[in-house]
Amino acid sequence: MAATLVRGGTVVTEDGRRRADLLVRDGVVAAVGEGLEAPAGAELVDAGGCFVVPGGIDPHTHMQLPTMGTVVADDFLSGTGAAAAGGTTTILDFVGPERGQSPLDALAVWQGWAARSTVDYGFHMTVSWWGSGFAAEMAPLVRSHGISSFKFFLAYKGGLMLSDEEILEGFLRCRELGALAQVHAENGELIAFLQAKLLGEGRTGPAAHALSRPPELEGEATLRAITMAETVDVPLYVVHVSAAQAADAIGGARQRGVKVVGETLPGFLAIDDSVYSSSDFDQAAGHVMSPPYRPKGHPEALWRAIETGALTVTGTDHCCFTKAQKRAGLEKFTLIPNGCGGVEDRLHVLWHLGVNGGRLTPERFVALTSSNAARAFNLWPRKGSLAVGSDGDVVVLDPERTRTLSARTQHQRTDFSVWEGRTVKGVVVHTLARGRHVWADGDLRAEPGAGRFLPRPPFGSVYQRVS
Ligand code: URP
Ligand code: ZN
Ligand code: ZN
């Protein structure tokens, strides 16, 4: 019987904190309390002076994704190893069918890749095309394969973008099946117009990427998606919220009682669009993602949205490329692969900026990094909790230790980091993933295939619990 006793820490959940030991046995939390005895043969983890929190859930990653003529730099093994090193023990990744490809066939491909994961994983399905064939396969995806969330794109005209009519049909299908509708909310029509205009004016560099996707376009698309979801009464999850206008739309809808959840990313809380004015192509292109980093003022507005409860979930949109891969867009910003890394950095950055910065209590940190995502994606209380019976996903965080984030020392498989040179205080020293000690003070024990697939049931009557 494998057991680990995490001793002498302050155990924190979204509900509160207390000095306690925590025993994990056979992969689940077996006891939480003072002065627990270590069973014979148990591994001891010293958490003195540290916080003990649930393993992070990153509900937004892209491992191994083929996109824009290349493949994302992290595969499921390297990416989940990086996750473990940063205290994340569950990822939810996006299956991406090709146009016209059966989503069930695409799922089989992703399942094959993800079998090498070192932490637990689940999937969302990207609705990369629409038609009766896609709608039909959503039923077995939800009912037999545990895929209960579907991402719709209002952007990427000529690619992933669907019409409002198609999105509405997709939302209705989600409602029928008890699935959660997710949206990438930017106005793709206007982006295409601005891209063509900027290129026509000779604006080919990475700075034009942000100019082609202004915050107003995210605000408009977010409100449109909410209006559609509200009209057909389907719960909605807005991914990677970067703009104040989008956060306002979500906050307003939540106040009216609309079932909408907003996710933001650490980068959007700390980095602004000045990164695109660098004369160093690698620097500017390294930050190219969609939506882009926003003008000054937006990060602050997103923090306020977290404080008011408009935004309740954080992910990373981990989608990393090397500098060489980004150089595909040297001549034309629209060819720069979209995406940045971060699965390894989220807990560190949020603790440092949030808890040390006086914006988050440790309890709210837990809610934002695991518990709220667990609820939104129907993993609660197996994940995002340290109650007896929950999975033994446990992080020991030393609030006094510091670390300087850098591409040179990260486990993410890229030579770039949006956090390069930033020193954070509050460091993940141990990570247990279903009881396995996967990160032990600098020692990454990423075991290929140790992660398990997490089928997620549809919501049905649980709709009300989306929070
Ligand atoms: O630029 C980004 N975000 N790339 C990943 C795909 C997406 O839209 O989430
Ligand atoms: Zn997206
Ligand atoms: Zn994404």
Side-chain angles (χ1 to χ4, degrees):
M1 201 154 46
T4 305
L5 183 65
V6 181
R7 198 145 64 179
T10 299
V11 174
V12 187
T13 65
E14 59 177 349
D15 297 322
R17 72 188 95 162
R18 62 174 169 142
R19 292 293 297 274
D21 303 335
L22 187 146
L23 178 67
V24 178
R25 188 185 294 156
D26 290 338
V28 296
V29 177
V32 185
E34 278 182 73
L36 295 183
E37 289 285 326
E43 183 186 0
L44 294 180
V45 172
D46 178 12
C50 295
F51 290 96
V52 179
V53 299
I57 299 174
D58 190 335
H60 190 154
T61 67
H62 303 277
M63 306 299 176
Q64 219 163 319
L65 176 73
T67 178
M68 294 183 79
T70 184
V71 177
V72 163
D74 264 321
D75 61 21
F76 278 88
L77 179 57
S78 65
T80 55
T88 286
T89 50
T90 300
I91 63 161
L92 298 180
D93 204 87
F94 289 82
V95 176
E98 311 234 334
R99 183 169 281 271
Q101 186 189 14
S102 145
L104 282 165
D105 287 354
L107 174 62
V109 173
W110 257 258
Q111 288 282 23
W113 292 339
R116 296 172 74 227
S117 296
T118 195
V119 302
D120 289 355
Y121 58 94
F123 291 121
H124 317 287
M125 180 61 65
T126 298
V127 186
S128 40
W129 58 278
W130 187 246
S132 56
F134 203 110
E137 289 196 9
M138 283 170 71
L141 284 167
V142 172
R143 294 182 182 139
S144 315
H145 295 273
I147 312 299
S148 56
S149 41
F150 293 84
K151 181 178 176 188
F152 297 82
F153 281 77
L154 284 74
Y156 297 113
K157 187 180 177 193
L160 294 167
M161 186 170 110
L162 300 179
S163 70
D164 286 359
E165 184 183 7
E166 291 169 323
I167 290 172
L168 199 55
E169 284 176 18
F171 280 9
L172 283 165
R173 188 71 174 135
C174 284
R175 185 178 199 287
E176 217 164 44
L177 294 167
L180 181 65
Q182 298 168 282
V183 282
H184 175 130
E186 293 182 285
N187 184 317
E189 193 65 48
L190 291 178
I191 291 167
F193 166 76
L194 289 173
Q195 285 175 333
K197 181 168 180 289
L198 287 154
L199 289 172
E201 291 164 1
R203 304 285 309 264
T204 57
H209 172 73
L211 298 177
S212 71
R213 313 179 89 98
E216 291 74 18
L217 274 49
E218 186 184 338
E220 182 280 328
T222 303
L223 185 57
R224 182 157 38 104
I226 291 170
T227 308
M228 287 194 275
E230 189 177 0
T231 303
V232 300
D233 191 27
V234 68
L236 183 71
Y237 181 95
V238 185
V239 303
H240 50 46
V241 173
S242 69
Q245 293 90 330
D248 285 350
I250 294 165
R254 283 172 69 89
Q255 275 178 6
R256 302 198 294 281
V258 180
K259 297 176 202 102
V260 54
V261 173
E263 163 202 281
T264 193
L265 321 179
F268 292 149
L269 294 164
I271 297 169
D272 64 54
D273 65 354
S274 58
V275 291
Y276 299 117
S277 43
S278 171
S279 54
D280 176 348
F281 176 86
D282 291 338
Q283 272 304 313
H287 290 88
V288 164
M289 64 177 294
S290 299
Y293 295 100
R294 297 305 189 185
K296 286 189 181 20
H298 287 266
E300 194 54 37
L302 297 188
W303 275 116
R304 281 198 299 277
I306 285 178
E307 281 156 17
T308 61
L311 299 176
T312 52
V313 177
T314 63
T316 60
D317 198 1
H318 182 82
C319 186
C320 66
F321 300 97
T322 61
K323 291 177 185 172
Q325 287 178 295
K326 291 270 185 178
R327 284 181 203 143
L330 264 173
E331 307 297 329
K332 201 176 178 187
F333 72 87
T334 50
L335 299 180
I336 301 170
N338 279 209
C340 301
V343 73
E344 189 171 354
D345 309 310
R346 181 176 61 126
L347 268 61
H348 288 132
V349 171
L350 284 174
W351 186 277
H352 180 71
L353 297 178
V355 179
N356 296 343
R359 295 182 176 277
L360 299 177
T361 60
E363 289 81 0
R364 289 271 286 150
F365 168 86
V366 169
L368 277 169
T369 53
S370 65
S371 309
N372 288 347
R375 285 218 190 70
F377 294 107
N378 228 352
L379 289 168
W380 179 267
R382 177 172 176 189
K383 302 290 187 187
S385 162
L386 292 176
V388 171
S390 293
D391 279 358
D393 297 339
V394 183
V395 166
V396 176
L397 185 144
D398 184 340
E400 296 305 324
R401 253 208 240 183
T402 59
R403 169 180 298 172
T404 300
L405 305 177
S406 170
R408 282 186 299 283
T409 49
Q410 69 190 3
H411 297 82
Q412 302 171 121
R413 202 194 272 165
T414 165
D415 50 3
F416 185 80
S417 169
V418 299
W419 303 110
E420 189 65 45
R422 295 214 193 200
T423 298
V424 291
K425 186 172 176 209
V427 169
V428 172
V429 279
H430 297 283
T431 306
L432 305 185
R434 264 187 305 96
R436 287 168 296 109
H437 199 170
V438 288
W439 173 250
D441 206 358
D443 178 17
L444 179 60
R445 303 167 180 174
E447 203 189 313
R452 298 250 174 87
F453 173 62
L454 298 166
R456 295 178 296 108
F459 287 89
S461 59
V462 190
Y463 269 4
Q464 282 71 8
R465 292 204 351 232
V466 174
S467 60

